[in-house]
Amino acid sequence: MRGRASRREYAVWIGVITVWLSVAAWAGNPWTPKVLSIALFLQTIRRLHDLGRTGGWLGAFFGGQLALAALPASYPGSTWSHWAEPIFTLAYFMVIAALPGSDGENRFGPPPRARRRDSQTVGA
């Protein structure tokens, strides 16, 4: 996966994917959530690139998900354990969306704004 995703681009993708997932769940389409999850995964890697991190940082997210998935079995009858996983997921993606990208070019390429500016001047 190459390139970097700005905060705005990532937030728009999160919003679009959330709406699509909601519509797919309502319509009962079994394939759409899988495809959209892959799109979200790839977009998150691009956002991590803008932060100067590799896609391997998603491992922290998946490790946390696995740990939180075990909570309801560990604490039967508790209601908080059922809410821990979705709250963790929301917090993870909100933090990634909120952090500013690294200044200047990093090993994943130029900043998204510079890339957009360069493409506009090439066509002029």
Side-chain angles (χ1 to χ4, degrees):
M1 169 90 342
R2 301 189 73 175
R4 296 166 61 173
S6 67
R7 286 188 278 189
R8 178 181 294 163
E9 180 184 353
Y10 186 69
V12 167
W13 267 97
I14 294 288
V16 168
I17 289 171
T18 301
V19 169
W20 279 348
L21 283 171
S22 300
V23 169
W26 176 74
N29 185 334
W31 287 103
T32 305
K34 292 174 181 67
V35 171
L36 292 175
S37 295
I38 292 170
L40 176 63
F41 180 79
L42 295 175
Q43 198 64 18
T44 301
I45 290 174
R46 290 187 63 232
R47 180 67 192 132
L48 286 168
H49 285 178
D50 191 43
L51 299 173
R53 308 283 192 266
T54 65
W57 277 79
L58 276 175
F61 169 70
F62 291 122
Q65 288 284 47
L66 287 173
L68 291 171
L71 279 178
S74 301
Y75 299 98
S78 69
T79 57
W80 68 268
S81 62
H82 295 285
W83 288 100
E85 187 177 359
I87 289 172
F88 171 76
T89 301
L90 180 64
Y92 182 84
F93 287 115
M94 286 179 69
V95 166
I96 288 176
L99 290 173
S102 60
D103 291 334
E105 189 166 332
N106 65 20
R107 62 184 170 161
F108 302 107
R113 292 175 302 281
R115 197 176 60 237
R116 196 169 39 246
R117 249 191 325 268
D118 291 344
S119 67
Q120 290 172 353
T121 58
V122 169

